[in-house]
Amino acid sequence: MERLEDKFDVAFTVFTPTYNRAHTLDRVYESLRRQTFRDFEWLVVDDGSTDYTERLVEGWQDETDVPVRYVYQENQGKHVATNEGVRRARGRFFLTLDSDDRCVPTALERFYEHWAAIPDAQKPEFSAVTCLCKDEDGYIVGDPFPEDVFDATPQEMRYRYGVAGEKWGFQRTDVMRDHPFPEPGGTHVPENIVWNAIGRHYKTRFVNEALRVYHVNENEDSLSDASDKSRRMAGVHALSHRVTLNKDIGWLRHAPLEFLRSAVHFARFSFHDHRSLAEQWCQLSNPAARALWVVGLPLAFAVYASEHRT
């Protein structure tokens, strides 16, 4: 049997999608230069920047021993940039580090150690290791996991244990290649479409270590602007909530309000996408999802009508 380790050149591809972030990219670069674990490459996919990003990265390529690869594409969104990064990745683990954040010097070392601690016989069941984040002042962002090392699916962590907030982690590159982001056009696709799809087949090792420093004050020109007030991608948002209702409804008893919320948003975005009530009904594949949709329809229509007037 071919081992996962035999398919790739390095342990990690640290992937940074960027759009007009030359003024913050140095955070990523400096934190990668300081990594205690050196078996990695840095892959920057530039999603159509109009600033000096290319010159900046080219300068770093000439001055560092870190393998730095730069790819330019016309502006198509973070989801397309991620697919391109996964295709080009030479690392067996794919770790996204956004263009305005940084990580602690031992981040890659600790990630690798946590993966190595999973028994070899169990590794095919796992796709990821996920850790906590902290802000610039050192405070943990979001909820901690139930235990310092905890194995579960993302759905179990969200619905059964109620863990929310910013997290960070890698995925196996081969798993990412099997689960690409849809590319329907536009500049945003909700990331949970892919993460939840992977979570239906693989476990994650969750660890209570804060390895990423999350900067909350840098959100202009973001590739991942996912504001629900933007109706331009209503069809994709409706798809995200429809998949949740159809695929994850087995977790309903653990988080009924979460699924009711998805039902409301499914209807709301479907209205913006000009989907009739009959179409919405047919797109839901189980009685529980349809019942939640019926309950949420009045609120969904009220929100849609309010937004439609603006």
Side-chain angles (χ1 to χ4, degrees), residues 31-32 85 112 132 141 173-174 197 229 247 285 310:
S31 65
L32 293 180
Y112 194 83
L132 303 177
V141 179
T173 302
D174 62 325
K229 293 183 179 180
K247 300 291 188 180
S285 62
T310 62

Side-chain angles (χ1 to χ4, degrees), residues 103-297:
C103 56
V104 303
T106 57
L108 297 182
E109 179 181 353
R110 293 300 293 144
F111 272 137
Y112 194 83
E113 289 173 349
H114 282 300
W115 178 263
I118 301 172
D120 288 342
Q122 297 178 23
K123 279 186 170 70
E125 303 172 16
F126 286 80
S127 69
V129 175
T130 295
C131 71
L132 303 177
C133 301
K134 59 184 176 181
D135 64 19
E136 299 163 78
D137 297 318
Y139 293 102
I140 297 298
V141 179
D143 302 324
F145 304 118
E147 298 176 11
D148 286 345
V149 177
F150 197 84
D151 296 338
T153 67
Q155 285 89 335
E156 185 178 13
M157 189 62 68
R158 175 181 177 182
Y159 298 127
R160 174 172 290 174
Y161 298 103
V163 174
E166 193 73 18
K167 303 292 184 284
W168 186 49
F170 69 79
Q171 291 279 351
R172 282 169 36 193
T173 302
D174 62 325
V175 172
M176 289 287 291
R177 286 174 178 168
D178 289 337
H179 297 82
F181 281 88
E183 298 185 12
T187 58
H188 174 68
V189 169
E191 294 183 353
N192 72 307
I193 289 179
V194 169
W195 307 144
N196 288 350
I198 293 174
R200 295 183 194 106
H201 301 282
Y202 297 95
K203 296 178 184 178
T204 294
R205 172 148 291 188
F206 296 96
V207 296
N208 278 331
E209 289 189 50
L211 301 179
R212 173 188 171 209
V213 181
Y214 179 61
H215 291 255
V216 297
N217 61 345
E218 299 283 351
N219 54 18
E220 74 279 4
D221 290 326
S222 174
L223 269 68
S224 54
D225 179 10
S227 171
D228 282 348
K229 293 183 179 180
S230 174
R231 301 181 292 276
R232 186 164 45 88
M233 293 298 294
V236 175
H237 287 297
L239 169 64
S240 174
H241 291 289
R242 171 165 60 88
V243 170
T244 295
L245 292 166
N246 286 340
K247 300 291 188 180
D248 294 335
I249 199 67
W251 295 99
L252 174 61
R253 67 186 179 90
H254 295 284
L257 293 181
E258 281 275 335
F259 285 92
L260 179 58
R261 174 183 174 274
S262 273
V264 170
H265 285 309
F266 166 68
R268 165 198 174 196
F269 286 118
S270 294
F271 287 136
H272 282 301
D273 199 39
H274 311 293
R275 301 288 180 179
S276 69
L277 293 176
E279 288 179 285
Q280 294 179 43
W281 174 271
C282 291
Q283 287 182 335
L284 298 175
S285 62
N286 63 81
R290 287 175 172 175
L292 289 172
W293 173 77
V294 170
V295 171
L297 267 179

